Amino acid sequence: MGGHGALTLAFNNPGVFKSVSAFSPICSPVRCPWGHKALGQYLGGSADKVPVSWLRHDSVELLKTIKNDVKNSVPVLIEQGEADHFLNEQLNTQVLIDTARDVDYAMQVRVQPGYDHSYFFIASFVEEHIAFQRKRSGNSDPSSAASVDLADSNNTSDELNQQVDPIVNPRDLDHRLSSQVCGNCHAM
């Protein structure tokens, strides 16, 4: 539930984040089996009678209560594959789109024909998400990212915080493990 976590963190903390983007997020865990299971395990309660504590962890419910003075303060970009087999039962993207329209929260939700919930989908659009984040962070030059040797024990935590670019290019990660990670989360 990484994409959903990013959305709820941004909506729960307006003014902290300059933007948020997500790939195929679970948009309303109070309305899907994965969410019922995860929220029940983490926060207690059940979907039979949705506890109030669950609502603070649901993007759709958060949008319904967002205050006008912070509305649209966090630009949102969501990428969704139209052929994603989780789309209707688990992700509830249309519920988020409808709610955003109803409360007048402008967000970009791009539904991509022919794409599913795979690494290929993310790899196809990740550069656009990085550009979206960079533009809003005030750092539009990808070559300006500082590098630091994380294994160098002479670096203090302050130096690391100042030197490391907070936007990681996914091409630099080991994607052989991505299916295991997604599988663990979705199997929860």
Side-chain angles (χ1 to χ4, degrees):
M1 297 195 328
H4 181 262
L7 292 171
T8 58
L9 283 170
F11 294 154
N12 271 313
N13 300 285
V16 173
F17 301 97
K18 294 183 180 182
S19 61
V20 62
S21 71
F23 286 89
S24 305
I26 296 172
C27 296
S28 186
V30 301
R31 291 172 180 81
C32 76
W34 282 341
H36 296 163
K37 188 172 185 180
L39 293 171
Q41 288 179 353
Y42 289 129
L43 302 173
S46 73
D48 298 334
K49 185 174 184 224
V50 174
V52 174
S53 62
W54 286 21
L55 303 180
R56 290 200 63 234
H57 301 280
D58 186 289
S59 297
V60 168
E61 298 303 319
L62 289 169
L63 276 181
K64 290 177 182 178
T65 62
I66 204 158
K67 293 181 171 65
N68 282 332
D69 60 334
V70 296
K71 192 179 290 183
N72 296 311
S73 64
V74 179
V76 177
L77 173 60
I78 295 174
E79 214 75 47
Q80 176 60 61
E82 186 179 57
D84 189 326
H85 58 279
F86 301 120
L87 182 58
N88 295 322
E89 182 184 10
Q90 302 288 0
L91 303 182
N92 292 302
T93 306
Q94 190 60 51
V95 177
L96 181 68
I97 292 169
D98 294 343
T99 302
R101 182 197 60 237
D102 292 346
V103 301
D104 199 27
Y105 195 108
M107 64 174 64
Q108 278 185 297
V109 180
R110 303 186 315 190
V111 179
Q112 302 294 348
Y115 286 91
D116 58 11
H117 202 85
S118 68
Y119 165 76
F120 177 70
F121 165 60
I122 294 170
S124 298
F125 299 100
V126 72
E127 292 292 334
E128 294 172 43
H129 282 250
I130 292 170
F132 174 83
Q133 297 290 354
R134 283 194 188 283
K135 180 178 178 184
R136 280 138 190 95
S137 74
N139 180 8
S140 59
D141 180 10
S143 66
S144 69
S147 63
V148 64
D149 180 3
L150 297 176
D152 183 354
S153 62
N154 294 324
N155 288 320
T156 67
S157 61
D158 287 340
E159 288 172 326
L160 292 176
N161 288 336
Q162 292 172 3
Q163 294 174 5
V164 177
D165 186 343
I167 300 174
V168 176
N169 188 330
R171 289 182 300 195
D172 298 334
L173 302 175
D174 181 355
H175 293 289
R176 292 173 292 178
L177 302 176
S178 65
S179 64
Q180 294 172 346
V181 172
C182 290
N184 287 339
C185 186
H186 293 305
M188 189 175 125

